[in-house]
Amino acid sequence: MTVVETERGRGLAIWAQIARALQDEIARGVVKPGEQLPPEAVLAARFRVNRHTLRRAVAALQEAGAVRIEQGRGTFVAEDVIDYALGQRIRLSENLRKMDRTPGSTFLRGIEMPAPARIAKALGIRAGKPVILLETLSFADGRAMSVGAHYFPKSRFDGIIEDYRRLGSITKALSERGIDDYTRKITRIMAQMPDQADAHLLQQPRNQPILVTEAINIDRAGVAIEFGYSRFSGPRVQFVLENEA
């Protein structure tokens, strides 16, 4: 990147000129999706402005969805939005591989807990009965995509935490328990603002909304096996509803 002269008195604020110049470079591929912009001090020197002016320009790019700011890491060019298919059979890894994306996941925690009334109703068990909560962080091409909370009836899936940690896949962990196929009974979708923990895990600002799904998966007999509560990165994911043949 070369030094760029901004023009005062030409009817366009200096910060807006900087934002336009950076946006043009992003559009031309000088800085590619996912790549980090130079540090604030470097950009300020390049445009010969103070940091306050530079920050205003970057904030405008963020509001336009051209970049994302990760606290403590820097500013990155926004990636292409992922079309995430929602259908009767939803397998995150398969979804991503079909789009030539590389899936990944990280185990966050696993605990046993009494089922709250809403989760118990979804699983068809009595409130207070023990359930297993498995929390994961999923990635696409190395970028955080979703935080998932997966609830399973303990009476049927005791030990699924260890299976997941060993196999790295909920589908494979369910297969260990005799669930060779399962389908989505219902998916409820909503948008909300992330809390501090989710914003940190998804590496996105708290002023950008996330997409939230509540879902029930059932086995071949129609028995509920999982209630899922997932939070997807709003800037990186959009849902596509697919009609099953």
Side-chain angles (χ1 to χ4, degrees), residues 25-231:
E25 291 178 350
I26 291 171
R28 290 189 289 110
V30 176
V31 191
K32 295 177 174 55
E35 289 186 351
Q36 186 174 5
L37 292 183
E40 186 179 89
V42 173
L43 287 176
R46 176 191 173 202
F47 289 101
R48 296 191 172 98
V49 296
N50 59 43
R51 293 195 179 192
H52 175 77
T53 300
L54 190 281
R55 286 171 189 162
R56 189 169 181 186
V58 173
L61 290 176
Q62 182 186 29
E63 290 174 5
V67 303
R68 54 183 169 78
I69 300 172
E70 297 183 12
Q71 295 300 322
R73 295 194 65 215
T75 302
F76 298 80
V77 178
E79 298 92 342
D80 296 333
V81 176
I82 295 173
D83 285 338
Y84 187 77
L86 294 178
Q88 193 174 27
R89 284 179 173 80
I90 300 176
R91 309 290 188 267
L92 188 145
S93 295
E94 290 180 15
N95 262 351
L96 294 175
R97 289 193 181 99
K98 286 178 182 178
M99 295 181 288
D100 293 324
R101 306 271 186 171
T102 302
S105 64
T106 296
F107 173 82
L108 296 179
R109 69 167 179 157
I111 61 171
E112 176 184 332
M113 60 182 288
R118 182 169 61 94
I119 293 171
K121 181 178 179 181
L123 293 175
I125 61 177
R126 293 199 311 272
K129 293 288 284 185
V131 293
I132 303 297
L133 166 60
L134 176 62
E135 289 189 321
T136 61
L137 177 62
S138 298
F139 300 88
D141 297 333
R143 301 301 308 165
M145 177 179 170
S146 66
V147 182
H150 312 271
Y151 297 86
F152 306 92
K154 182 187 176 184
S155 59
R156 189 173 181 182
F157 297 104
D158 191 18
I160 195 171
I161 295 172
E162 291 74 17
D163 291 339
Y164 175 83
R165 299 191 73 168
R166 175 169 52 88
L167 299 168
S169 163
I170 287 178
T171 297
K172 292 178 180 178
L174 288 173
S175 181
E176 292 278 297
R177 306 282 159 173
I179 308 297
D180 60 349
D181 189 28
Y182 60 95
T183 54
R184 180 63 55 88
K185 179 181 180 181
I186 186 173
T187 302
R188 182 177 291 107
I189 306 170
M190 62 210 91
Q192 66 185 40
M193 304 307 290
D195 60 21
Q196 186 173 355
D198 282 347
H200 174 73
L201 287 170
L202 293 172
Q203 300 175 351
Q204 71 169 67
R206 288 195 64 184
N207 62 357
Q208 289 186 324
I210 57 175
L211 297 173
V212 178
T213 64
E214 292 183 352
I216 301 172
N217 287 327
I218 58 176
D219 63 14
R220 290 181 182 272
V223 177
I225 60 171
E226 176 192 358
F227 173 79
Y229 174 67
S230 298
R231 290 89 74 198

